[in-house]
């Protein structure tokens, strides 16, 4: 006799299988893809910033509930991460910065992103200065009036002694900083100000029979403070926003070079600078090599990061016969693999099947 419960059992099994498939589909991992974009500096900036080596930046990725996805250098990270769907915090820093220190600008970015199930989240990281700097310039009148005094810059994170001959920039976390004068056992606060991220402030100090302060600072009501004049040097007060000095057209100078990604958006431009990392060569229209030894000296591949091993993420670079080929080809110089390189030439749509740079007229490299 046929069991009357069999159809019901079969229906439940089918429903359970369907639910399992739905649950499985909903748990399909997504892809987290990272890249750097280069911010153009504020046109009013008077600073000339260097090109930070983003491959050496520390990258930290945490997932839902704080789970660690990656903790290491950006250059060693894969180009994409397969991760469960969810919210992720992506942080990059050029260096560790917790207390005041000389000549230590900190660059980086932090993004909170959502990776969809079965989809891709492409994160564009910027390279902006996160801390702030201050420089002091004491003129002869100040040094003569206070020959044995000490200048002290301080914040809630710590303090720095700033000698009269000091030329370096003192970097602080954003927030309030104070300038103290220690002279003959007494300490006088001459100036205070809230520094913003990216700000570089220069203060000129002089000794005169005029009240201290400059409208933005404060000074103690004392005979010492009353003889000191402080002014902000606006010609040296700038915002360091990224890699490129203001006032130059993108790509026209080495300091405003296009990244690999930007170059692909400027196909057809001639005589422009492009930068990336040498990752390979020996290209054909469909393939290329990312590991030595290399057999061709006529071209090379540059990429946004040293770990790139995907031809589609690269630019091909033509090396015509001459000094540039002799200096840059990785057949004769395999030690150049992984080096940062700047080349000046014409951006073309296709060279060995991908966008490239041809007709080089100049180059600069970092080992």
């Amino acid at each position: 006799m046929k069991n009357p419960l069999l159809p019901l059992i079969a229906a439940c099994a089918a429903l359970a299988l369907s639910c399992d498939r739905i649950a499985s589909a909903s748990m399909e991992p997504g892809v987290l893809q990272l890249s750097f974009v280069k911010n153009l500096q504020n046109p009013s900036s008077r600073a000339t910033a260097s090109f930070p080596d983003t491959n050496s930046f520390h990258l930290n990725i945490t997932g839902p509930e704080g789970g660690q996805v990656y903790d290491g250098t950006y250059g060693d990270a894969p180009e994409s991460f397969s991760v469960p769907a969810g919210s992720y915090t992506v942080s990059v820093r050029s260096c560790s910065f917790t207390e005041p220190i000389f000549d230590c600008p900190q660059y980086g970015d932090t993004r909170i992103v959502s990776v969809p199930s079965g989809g891709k989240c492409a994160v564009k990281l910027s390279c902006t200065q996160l801390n702030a700097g201050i420089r002091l310039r004491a003129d002869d009148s100040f040094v003569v009036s206070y020959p044995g005094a000490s200048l002290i810059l301080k914040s809630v994170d710590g303090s720095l002694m700033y000698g009269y001959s000091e030329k370096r920039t003192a970097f602080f976390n954003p927030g309030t900083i104070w300038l103290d004068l220690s002279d003959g056992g007494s300490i006088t606060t001459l100036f205070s100000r809230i520094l913003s991220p990216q700000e570089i402030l220069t203060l000129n100090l002089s000794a005169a029979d005029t009240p201290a302060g400059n409208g933005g600072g404060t000074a103690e009501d004392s005979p010492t403070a009353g003889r000191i004049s402080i002014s902000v040097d606006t010609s040296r007060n700038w915002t360091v926003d990224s890699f490129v000095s203001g006032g130059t057209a993108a790509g026209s100078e080495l300091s405003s070079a296009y990244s690999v990604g930007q170059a692909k958006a400027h196909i057809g431009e001639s005589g422009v600078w492009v930068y990336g990392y040498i990752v390979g060569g020996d290209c054909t229209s469909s393939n290329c090599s990312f590991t030595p030894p290399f057999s061709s000296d006529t071209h090379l591949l540059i990429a946004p990061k040293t770990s790139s091993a995907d031809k589609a993420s690269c630019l091909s670079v033509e090396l015509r016969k001459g000094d540039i080929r002799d200096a840059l080809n990785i057949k004769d110089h395999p030690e150049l693999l992984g080096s940062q390189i700047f080349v000046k030439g014409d951006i073309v749509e296709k060279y060995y099947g991908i966008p490239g740079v041809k007709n080089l007229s100049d180059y600069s490299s970092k080992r």
Side-chain angles (χ1 to χ4, degrees):
M1 180 177 177
K2 187 175 180 180
N3 189 338
L5 294 179
L6 286 178
L8 179 60
I9 294 172
C12 289
L15 179 60
L17 179 60
S18 175
C19 289
D20 286 343
R21 288 174 177 170
I22 293 173
S24 176
S26 67
M27 296 300 290
E28 185 178 355
V31 174
L32 178 63
Q33 190 174 59
L34 308 179
S35 63
F36 266 99
V37 294
K38 187 176 64 176
N39 298 340
L40 292 179
Q41 200 169 20
N42 189 319
S44 65
S45 169
R46 297 172 175 86
T48 300
S50 61
F51 287 78
D53 182 358
T54 54
N55 274 262
S56 66
F57 281 27
H58 182 264
L59 170 64
N60 184 273
I61 305 174
T62 55
E65 300 180 0
Q68 192 78 58
V69 176
Y70 182 83
D71 187 38
T73 63
Y74 176 78
D76 290 337
E79 294 188 55
S80 60
F81 297 83
S82 178
V83 294
S87 178
Y88 292 82
T89 300
V90 180
S91 175
V92 286
R93 294 292 186 271
S94 62
C95 62
S96 175
F97 188 90
T98 57
E99 59 186 14
I101 190 171
F102 286 106
D103 282 353
C104 187
Q106 183 193 52
Y107 297 91
D109 193 12
T110 299
R111 301 292 178 94
I112 299 176
V113 299
S114 180
V115 177
S117 174
K120 181 174 75 173
C121 177
V123 182
K124 300 291 187 181
L125 297 166
S126 65
C127 182
T128 55
Q129 185 180 308
L130 304 176
N131 54 8
I134 184 168
R135 303 183 299 178
L136 305 180
R137 299 291 182 264
D139 69 11
D140 291 343
S141 68
F142 192 95
V143 176
V144 170
S145 297
Y146 306 101
S150 299
L151 294 170
I152 306 169
L153 287 167
K154 64 181 184 180
S155 72
V156 294
D157 300 316
S159 61
L160 288 174
M161 298 287 292
Y162 206 105
Y164 289 149
S165 61
E166 182 64 69
K167 302 298 183 184
R168 294 175 296 174
T169 301
F171 282 89
F172 289 78
N173 281 315
T176 303
I177 58 96
W178 294 268
L179 171 61
D180 284 355
L181 176 71
S182 177
D183 185 31
S186 64
I187 296 178
T188 303
T189 297
L190 304 178
F191 181 90
S192 68
R193 178 159 173 163
I194 298 175
L195 292 182
S196 302
Q198 309 171 38
E199 186 174 8
I200 305 292
L201 183 70
T202 299
L203 295 180
N204 293 323
L205 289 78
S206 61
D209 295 325
T210 57
N214 69 342
T218 63
E220 297 294 331
D221 185 13
S222 70
T224 298
R227 298 187 62 243
I228 296 173
S229 175
I230 302 175
S231 65
V232 175
D233 184 350
T234 57
S235 68
R236 295 182 179 181
N237 181 21
W238 58 63
T239 294
V240 178
D241 190 10
S242 183
F243 304 157
V244 188
S245 61
T248 59
S252 63
E253 302 290 343
L254 187 144
S255 61
S256 60
Y258 290 131
S259 66
V260 170
Q262 288 175 318
K264 292 180 179 181
H266 292 270
I267 290 171
E269 293 192 15
S270 301
V272 294
W273 284 94
V274 177
Y275 76 96
Y277 296 86
I278 299 175
V279 294
D282 288 354
C283 294
T284 67
S285 60
S286 57
N287 296 307
C288 59
S289 176
F290 293 93
T291 55
F294 299 97
S295 60
S296 176
D297 63 0
T298 64
H299 64 278
L300 51 81
L301 287 174
I302 62 174
K305 57 193 300 185
T306 54
S307 62
S308 296
D310 178 10
K311 183 180 179 183
S313 67
C314 299
L315 284 175
S316 51
V317 178
E318 178 189 46
L319 300 176
R320 294 186 297 180
K321 187 175 181 179
D323 293 343
I324 296 180
R325 176 188 290 185
D326 293 342
L328 297 184
N329 84 83
I330 53 177
K331 174 186 175 182
D332 298 328
H333 303 288
E335 71 277 5
L336 290 176
L337 202 66
S339 296
Q340 189 180 56
I341 187 76
F342 299 79
V343 294
K344 186 177 183 180
D346 304 334
I347 304 175
V348 298
E349 183 176 5
K350 293 288 184 182
Y351 181 53
Y352 284 112
I354 56 175
V357 185
K358 302 184 70 174
N359 305 318
L360 300 192
S361 60
D362 202 356
Y363 77 95
S364 179
S365 62
K366 289 185 179 182
R367 297 290 182 93

